[in-house]
mmCIF file of all heavy atoms in Angstrom:
data_model
loop_
_atom_site.group_PDB
_atom_site.id
_atom_site.type_symbol
_atom_site.label_atom_id
_atom_site.label_comp_id
_atom_site.label_asym_id
_atom_site.label_seq_id
_atom_site.Cartn_x
_atom_site.Cartn_y
_atom_site.Cartn_z
ATOM 1 N N ILE B 547 -46.152 36.155 62.639
ATOM 2 C CA ILE B 547 -47.227 35.489 61.891
ATOM 3 C C ILE B 547 -48.512 36.299 61.889
ATOM 4 O O ILE B 547 -49.133 36.512 60.851
ATOM 5 C CB ILE B 547 -47.494 34.087 62.479
ATOM 6 C CG1 ILE B 547 -46.292 33.197 62.239
ATOM 7 C CG2 ILE B 547 -48.730 33.472 61.854
ATOM 8 C CD1 ILE B 547 -46.424 31.848 62.865
ATOM 9 N N ASN B 548 -48.910 36.775 63.065
ATOM 10 C CA ASN B 548 -50.177 37.499 63.117
ATOM 11 C C ASN B 548 -49.994 39.004 63.182
ATOM 12 O O ASN B 548 -50.872 39.710 63.641
ATOM 13 C CB ASN B 548 -50.981 37.042 64.333
ATOM 14 C CG ASN B 548 -51.631 35.705 64.083
ATOM 15 O OD1 ASN B 548 -51.929 35.356 62.939
ATOM 16 N ND2 ASN B 548 -51.825 34.931 65.126
ATOM 17 N N GLN B 549 -48.863 39.459 62.761
ATOM 18 C CA GLN B 549 -48.580 40.891 62.932
ATOM 19 C C GLN B 549 -49.465 41.752 62.034
ATOM 20 O O GLN B 549 -49.654 41.465 60.875
ATOM 21 C CB GLN B 549 -47.106 41.159 62.621
ATOM 22 C CG GLN B 549 -46.624 42.539 63.009
ATOM 23 C CD GLN B 549 -47.004 42.919 64.428
ATOM 24 O OE1 GLN B 549 -47.929 43.681 64.636
ATOM 25 N NE2 GLN B 549 -46.303 42.364 65.409
ATOM 26 N N ARG B 550 -49.996 42.818 62.646
ATOM 27 C CA ARG B 550 -50.862 43.682 61.858
ATOM 28 C C ARG B 550 -50.269 45.062 61.612
ATOM 29 O O ARG B 550 -50.808 45.854 60.868
ATOM 30 C CB ARG B 550 -52.215 43.831 62.565
ATOM 31 C CG ARG B 550 -53.114 42.645 62.298
ATOM 32 C CD ARG B 550 -54.338 42.720 63.145
ATOM 33 N NE ARG B 550 -53.997 42.659 64.557
ATOM 34 C CZ ARG B 550 -54.877 42.415 65.519
ATOM 35 N NH1 ARG B 550 -56.114 42.220 65.223
ATOM 36 N NH2 ARG B 550 -54.510 42.369 66.782
ATOM 37 N N ASP B 551 -49.172 45.337 62.289
ATOM 38 C CA ASP B 551 -48.593 46.669 62.195
ATOM 39 C C ASP B 551 -47.246 46.556 61.487
ATOM 40 O O ASP B 551 -46.382 45.793 61.897
ATOM 41 C CB ASP B 551 -48.414 47.195 63.622
ATOM 42 C CG ASP B 551 -47.811 48.577 63.673
ATOM 43 O OD1 ASP B 551 -46.801 48.820 63.004
ATOM 44 O OD2 ASP B 551 -48.338 49.409 64.404
ATOM 45 N N TYR B 552 -47.081 47.313 60.405
ATOM 46 C CA TYR B 552 -45.872 47.045 59.615
ATOM 47 C C TYR B 552 -44.584 47.538 60.266
ATOM 48 O O TYR B 552 -43.516 47.015 60.001
ATOM 49 C CB TYR B 552 -46.004 47.562 58.180
ATOM 50 C CG TYR B 552 -46.430 48.987 57.987
ATOM 51 C CD1 TYR B 552 -45.544 50.025 58.168
ATOM 52 C CD2 TYR B 552 -47.713 49.280 57.578
ATOM 53 C CE1 TYR B 552 -45.933 51.335 57.977
ATOM 54 C CE2 TYR B 552 -48.114 50.591 57.383
ATOM 55 C CZ TYR B 552 -47.215 51.619 57.581
ATOM 56 O OH TYR B 552 -47.591 52.905 57.388
ATOM 57 N N LYS B 553 -44.686 48.552 61.123
ATOM 58 C CA LYS B 553 -43.452 48.981 61.773
ATOM 59 C C LYS B 553 -43.033 47.993 62.858
ATOM 60 O O LYS B 553 -41.847 47.692 63.020
ATOM 61 C CB LYS B 553 -43.621 50.393 62.347
ATOM 62 C CG LYS B 553 -43.639 51.445 61.254
ATOM 63 C CD LYS B 553 -43.764 52.824 61.814
ATOM 64 C CE LYS B 553 -42.405 53.482 61.944
ATOM 65 N NZ LYS B 553 -42.531 54.892 62.397
ATOM 66 N N ARG B 554 -44.017 47.483 63.596
ATOM 67 C CA ARG B 554 -43.690 46.441 64.573
ATOM 68 C C ARG B 554 -43.130 45.217 63.860
ATOM 69 O O ARG B 554 -42.217 44.555 64.353
ATOM 70 C CB ARG B 554 -44.926 46.035 65.370
ATOM 71 C CG ARG B 554 -45.491 47.112 66.233
ATOM 72 C CD ARG B 554 -46.672 46.600 67.023
ATOM 73 N NE ARG B 554 -46.259 45.741 68.112
ATOM 74 C CZ ARG B 554 -45.837 46.193 69.290
ATOM 75 N NH1 ARG B 554 -45.791 47.479 69.511
ATOM 76 N NH2 ARG B 554 -45.475 45.362 70.224
ATOM 77 N N MET B 555 -43.692 44.947 62.700
ATOM 78 C CA MET B 555 -43.237 43.795 61.922
ATOM 79 C C MET B 555 -41.749 43.923 61.618
ATOM 80 O O MET B 555 -40.977 42.966 61.820
ATOM 81 C CB MET B 555 -44.043 43.717 60.633
ATOM 82 C CG MET B 555 -43.549 42.720 59.634
ATOM 83 S SD MET B 555 -44.470 42.860 58.105
ATOM 84 C CE MET B 555 -43.554 44.150 57.288
ATOM 85 N N LEU B 556 -41.341 45.082 61.165
ATOM 86 C CA LEU B 556 -39.921 45.255 60.840
ATOM 87 C C LEU B 556 -39.057 45.133 62.097
ATOM 88 O O LEU B 556 -37.965 44.560 62.064
ATOM 89 C CB LEU B 556 -39.689 46.612 60.181
ATOM 90 C CG LEU B 556 -40.267 46.766 58.781
ATOM 91 C CD1 LEU B 556 -39.968 48.140 58.236
ATOM 92 C CD2 LEU B 556 -39.678 45.718 57.857
ATOM 93 N N ALA B 557 -39.566 45.662 63.208
ATOM 94 C CA ALA B 557 -38.799 45.566 64.443
ATOM 95 C C ALA B 557 -38.642 44.112 64.856
ATOM 96 O O ALA B 557 -37.563 43.668 65.264
ATOM 97 C CB ALA B 557 -39.493 46.359 65.541
ATOM 98 N N GLN B 558 -39.735 43.347 64.736
ATOM 99 C CA GLN B 558 -39.635 41.936 65.114
ATOM 100 C C GLN B 558 -38.711 41.185 64.186
ATOM 101 O O GLN B 558 -38.001 40.269 64.599
ATOM 102 C CB GLN B 558 -41.028 41.319 65.159
ATOM 103 C CG GLN B 558 -41.689 41.607 66.485
ATOM 104 C CD GLN B 558 -43.179 41.651 66.400
ATOM 105 O OE1 GLN B 558 -43.763 41.465 65.339
ATOM 106 N NE2 GLN B 558 -43.814 41.910 67.528
ATOM 107 N N SER B 559 -38.726 41.596 62.928
ATOM 108 C CA SER B 559 -37.775 40.970 62.018
ATOM 109 C C SER B 559 -36.344 41.259 62.487
ATOM 110 O O SER B 559 -35.458 40.411 62.345
ATOM 111 C CB SER B 559 -38.032 41.453 60.597
ATOM 112 O OG SER B 559 -36.850 41.714 59.933
ATOM 113 N N SER B 560 -36.123 42.443 63.061
ATOM 114 C CA SER B 560 -34.780 42.741 63.571
ATOM 115 C C SER B 560 -34.410 41.813 64.723
ATOM 116 O O SER B 560 -33.274 41.360 64.819
ATOM 117 C CB SER B 560 -34.694 44.171 64.068
ATOM 118 O OG SER B 560 -34.805 45.058 63.002
ATOM 119 N N ILE B 561 -35.381 41.548 65.588
ATOM 120 C CA ILE B 561 -35.098 40.614 66.691
ATOM 121 C C ILE B 561 -34.700 39.266 66.117
ATOM 122 O O ILE B 561 -33.742 38.627 66.561
ATOM 123 C CB ILE B 561 -36.335 40.448 67.599
ATOM 124 C CG1 ILE B 561 -36.768 41.770 68.171
ATOM 125 C CG2 ILE B 561 -36.047 39.443 68.712
ATOM 126 C CD1 ILE B 561 -38.009 41.689 69.022
ATOM 127 N N GLU B 562 -35.448 38.862 65.097
ATOM 128 C CA GLU B 562 -35.176 37.565 64.492
ATOM 129 C C GLU B 562 -33.769 37.550 63.878
ATOM 130 O O GLU B 562 -33.010 36.592 64.043
ATOM 131 C CB GLU B 562 -36.247 37.282 63.438
ATOM 132 C CG GLU B 562 -36.273 35.882 62.956
ATOM 133 C CD GLU B 562 -35.691 35.733 61.570
ATOM 134 O OE1 GLU B 562 -35.572 36.751 60.856
ATOM 135 O OE2 GLU B 562 -35.341 34.618 61.220
ATOM 136 N N GLN B 563 -33.426 38.643 63.193
ATOM 137 C CA GLN B 563 -32.119 38.704 62.527
ATOM 138 C C GLN B 563 -30.990 38.696 63.537
ATOM 139 O O GLN B 563 -29.981 38.014 63.358
ATOM 140 C CB GLN B 563 -32.014 39.960 61.672
ATOM 141 C CG GLN B 563 -33.078 40.076 60.619
ATOM 142 C CD GLN B 563 -32.714 39.353 59.356
ATOM 143 O OE1 GLN B 563 -31.736 38.634 59.323
ATOM 144 N NE2 GLN B 563 -33.508 39.511 58.323
ATOM 145 N N ILE B 564 -31.149 39.475 64.610
ATOM 146 C CA ILE B 564 -30.064 39.531 65.573
ATOM 147 C C ILE B 564 -29.970 38.185 66.298
ATOM 148 O O ILE B 564 -28.881 37.744 66.675
ATOM 149 C CB ILE B 564 -30.229 40.730 66.536
ATOM 150 C CG1 ILE B 564 -28.864 41.160 67.060
ATOM 151 C CG2 ILE B 564 -31.120 40.418 67.696
ATOM 152 C CD1 ILE B 564 -28.033 41.898 66.090
ATOM 153 N N GLY B 565 -31.117 37.530 66.439
ATOM 154 C CA GLY B 565 -31.088 36.173 66.994
ATOM 155 C C GLY B 565 -30.269 35.259 66.104
ATOM 156 O O GLY B 565 -29.457 34.460 66.584
ATOM 157 N N PHE B 566 -30.463 35.413 64.813
ATOM 158 C CA PHE B 566 -29.681 34.588 63.878
ATOM 159 C C PHE B 566 -28.199 34.913 64.000
ATOM 160 O O PHE B 566 -27.352 34.017 63.966
ATOM 161 C CB PHE B 566 -30.167 34.827 62.452
ATOM 162 C CG PHE B 566 -29.434 34.007 61.446
ATOM 163 C CD1 PHE B 566 -29.680 32.657 61.342
ATOM 164 C CD2 PHE B 566 -28.472 34.574 60.637
ATOM 165 C CE1 PHE B 566 -28.989 31.884 60.442
ATOM 166 C CE2 PHE B 566 -27.779 33.811 59.730
ATOM 167 C CZ PHE B 566 -28.043 32.462 59.625
ATOM 168 N N VAL B 567 -27.895 36.201 64.150
ATOM 169 C CA VAL B 567 -26.500 36.594 64.303
ATOM 170 C C VAL B 567 -25.908 35.937 65.558
ATOM 171 O O VAL B 567 -24.771 35.453 65.538
ATOM 172 C CB VAL B 567 -26.390 38.133 64.370
ATOM 173 C CG1 VAL B 567 -25.009 38.558 64.793
ATOM 174 C CG2 VAL B 567 -26.715 38.735 63.027
ATOM 175 N N ALA B 568 -26.715 35.895 66.626
ATOM 176 C CA ALA B 568 -26.235 35.255 67.844
ATOM 177 C C ALA B 568 -25.989 33.769 67.606
ATOM 178 O O ALA B 568 -24.985 33.206 68.063
ATOM 179 C CB ALA B 568 -27.242 35.452 68.973
ATOM 180 N N VAL B 569 -26.897 33.133 66.878
ATOM 181 C CA VAL B 569 -26.700 31.718 66.557
ATOM 182 C C VAL B 569 -25.401 31.540 65.773
ATOM 183 O O VAL B 569 -24.599 30.641 66.039
ATOM 184 C CB VAL B 569 -27.901 31.181 65.755
ATOM 185 C CG1 VAL B 569 -27.591 29.836 65.151
ATOM 186 C CG2 VAL B 569 -29.112 31.075 66.656
ATOM 187 N N ALA B 570 -25.195 32.451 64.809
ATOM 188 C CA ALA B 570 -23.968 32.378 64.011
ATOM 189 C C ALA B 570 -22.751 32.504 64.914
ATOM 190 O O ALA B 570 -21.783 31.741 64.785
ATOM 191 C CB ALA B 570 -23.958 33.484 62.970
#
Side-chain angles (χ1 to χ4, degrees):
Chain B
I547 293 176
N548 283 332
Q549 191 49 257
R550 279 172 297 195
D551 180 312
Y552 52 77
K553 287 182 96 175
R554 295 182 74 82
M555 171 186 86
L556 291 180
Q558 277 152 0
S559 138
S560 292
I561 301 178
E562 193 255 342
Q563 302 274 9
I564 206 75
F566 181 74
V567 169
V569 167

